[in-house]
Amino acid sequence: MKVLVIGGGAREHALCRSLSLDPEVTALHCAPGNAGTAEVAESHPVDALDGAAVARLATELEAGLVVVGPEAPLVAGVADAVRNAGIPCFGPSKEAAELEGSKAFAKDVMAAANVPTARSYVCTTPEQVDEALDAFGPPYVVKDDGLAAGKGVVVTDDLAAAREHGIACGRVVIEEFLDGPEVSLFAITDGETVLPLQPAQDFKRALDGDEGPNTGGMGAYSPLPWADPKLVDEVLETVLQPTVDELRRRGTPFAGLLYAGLAITRRGVRVIEFNARFGDPETQVVLARLRTPLAGVLLAAAEGNLAELPPLAWRDDAAVTVVVASHNYPDTPRTGDPIEGLDEVAAQDGPDAYVLHAGTRLETGRGDGGDTVVSAGGRVLSVTATGKDLTQARERAYTALGRIRLAGSQHRTDIARTASGASEG
């Protein structure tokens, strides 16, 4: 089949990489893509938020499947436009994507489905913000109700900072702090059948030791050796299936990728948030471990045939990804810096380690007159590696990362360190 992937980050590069390895995929396209996706898919300039333009491109390409990567196009209804053009699309409708588009909506769905989550208040005035902060006390958890590219959440002991963020958001969800380790669990669903993937853990804070501001994610690993082996089955039964059933009951069935951000608390599993798409950077490690060809699974979800698929097959390997970010990320990042060492990683570390592009672009005529890959965003690259265990995967990822040169760049040095048993050095 011909497949069109919408988006231009490392998540989309990971999707394109997996799809390019699928023998059923005869042609692969990405719009708008980046310098990395261009190596495995044909790039097309398109406004990913313009449903009509995306549907028109899919029609022109005679795509048999469209995969919408980022959240903003889903919330804007791009998947609906593609389906209305008669083309199978992996991604929820605009109405169902409100599960990520509005945290207040997600809380309402969870309450109706009896899904365990943090107690919360939805606030729209400074007075309500003050009351909610006072009710819960520190640490304060303040979440912008709408989309914020993974950076709309403030967790702080500073009452003034929490209040400032809450009032600035306009409509905000303030909730109790959930203790315990966090887990990301993806599930592919056609609106009825729910197919959970393998869990992963990501690292949201910018600096080592989970210090610094929240980001879109600085790294991830899978599997989770410390997690209960029954975790996936428990989350399927208490979180994923009830949520999908509730959305179908409401007449807004959710077909696509349902992402549950979870806290493993002393009182059990609690949902921190839902996303309506593959997470970044968790996708990079989850897909690295998936043995089943990807295209057929996504098409089955798009066409409502998931129940007919055999169980997913997984590699025993572990996977680690480390994000290389631009200078000054997550504030206004510096862009346009040349990236060196990508060829060295490909030559010396592949296939066990590879680079997935996020914020990159090709600049023509720079340096020796050829094309140069330059930074074009906050998170620039995801250096991903697999190994027999987390220790080996982690070593391979950081060895490959050491070959990359990007002026002013930053990365965490402790991704998967505790889980792998690595030393603090």
Side-chain angles (χ1 to χ4, degrees), residues 248-343:
R248 187 175 68 254
R249 186 192 68 77
R250 293 179 177 216
T252 56
F254 187 106
L257 195 290
L258 178 58
Y259 166 137
L262 310 165
I264 313 302
T265 76
R266 289 169 295 194
R267 294 176 292 142
V269 173
R270 297 289 186 271
V271 175
I272 300 171
E273 64 175 353
F274 281 126
N275 290 334
R277 39 73 194 182
F278 281 101
D280 183 345
E282 299 98 322
T283 300
Q284 289 85 303
V285 293
V286 172
L287 291 186
R289 300 185 59 224
L290 180 64
R291 188 184 298 277
T292 300
L294 182 62
V297 182
L298 302 187
L299 182 63
E303 295 186 332
N305 301 321
L306 265 186
E308 301 173 13
L309 290 186
L312 296 177
W314 296 92
R315 296 182 175 88
D316 292 332
D317 288 357
V320 173
T321 193
V322 184
V323 170
V324 178
S326 293
H327 175 71
N328 205 40
Y329 178 78
D331 293 325
T332 305
R334 190 175 79 198
T335 60
D337 290 313
I339 303 167
E340 300 177 331
L342 298 174
D343 291 342

Side-chain angles (χ1 to χ4, degrees), residues 218-277:
M218 295 298 290
Y221 69 92
S222 178
L224 311 182
W226 48 267
D228 187 330
K230 299 177 182 177
L231 175 64
V232 173
D233 290 340
E234 178 188 347
V235 174
L236 175 61
E237 180 181 345
T238 64
V239 174
L240 299 171
Q241 192 71 57
T243 300
V244 169
D245 291 345
E246 171 62 19
L247 286 166
R248 187 175 68 254
R249 186 192 68 77
R250 293 179 177 216
T252 56
F254 187 106
L257 195 290
L258 178 58
Y259 166 137
L262 310 165
I264 313 302
T265 76
R266 289 169 295 194
R267 294 176 292 142
V269 173
R270 297 289 186 271
V271 175
I272 300 171
E273 64 175 353
F274 281 126
N275 290 334
R277 39 73 194 182

Side-chain angles (χ1 to χ4, degrees), residues 15-237:
L15 287 165
C16 284
R17 180 182 183 274
S18 291
L19 289 165
S20 72
L21 299 173
D22 187 333
E24 294 298 315
V25 176
T26 55
L28 184 58
H29 303 267
C30 191
N34 60 40
T37 62
E39 297 176 0
V40 294
E42 183 178 347
S43 300
H44 301 269
V46 73
D47 180 355
L49 297 176
D50 187 337
V54 171
R56 189 162 52 247
L57 174 62
T59 301
E60 292 171 357
L61 295 174
E62 299 180 336
L65 174 66
V66 174
V67 180
V68 182
E71 60 272 26
L74 292 168
V75 172
V78 168
D80 301 278
V82 172
R83 278 190 284 268
N84 289 339
I87 299 171
C89 184
F90 183 80
S93 66
K94 178 179 181 179
E95 290 79 7
E98 278 298 289
L99 200 64
E100 177 170 4
S102 169
K103 293 176 181 63
F105 175 76
K107 288 288 187 182
D108 184 64
V109 170
M110 283 187 271
N114 200 28
V115 169
T117 188
R119 294 180 297 120
S120 63
Y121 294 100
V122 178
C123 306
T124 56
T125 68
E127 292 76 19
Q128 290 174 340
V129 168
D130 289 337
E131 290 174 9
L133 293 172
D134 183 60
F136 288 129
Y140 305 102
V141 181
V142 187
K143 300 181 175 182
D144 191 332
D145 180 56
L147 296 180
K151 292 176 283 187
V153 179
V154 166
V155 181
T156 180
D157 290 323
D158 186 333
L159 176 60
R163 185 176 190 273
E164 180 182 10
H165 183 65
I167 293 172
C169 289
R171 182 178 171 89
V172 66
V173 174
I174 297 176
E175 62 184 38
E176 66 175 327
F177 177 76
L178 295 175
D179 64 308
E182 295 185 12
V183 174
S184 300
L185 184 62
F186 302 165
I188 293 171
T189 177
D190 57 9
E192 292 190 31
T193 301
V194 181
L195 198 63
L197 305 185
Q198 290 291 304
Q201 186 174 60
D202 77 332
F203 295 75
K204 288 294 187 189
R205 298 285 187 171
L207 306 176
D208 285 5
D210 290 326
E211 299 290 336
N214 259 345
T215 72
M218 295 298 290
Y221 69 92
S222 178
L224 311 182
W226 48 267
D228 187 330
K230 299 177 182 177
L231 175 64
V232 173
D233 290 340
E234 178 188 347
V235 174
L236 175 61
E237 180 181 345

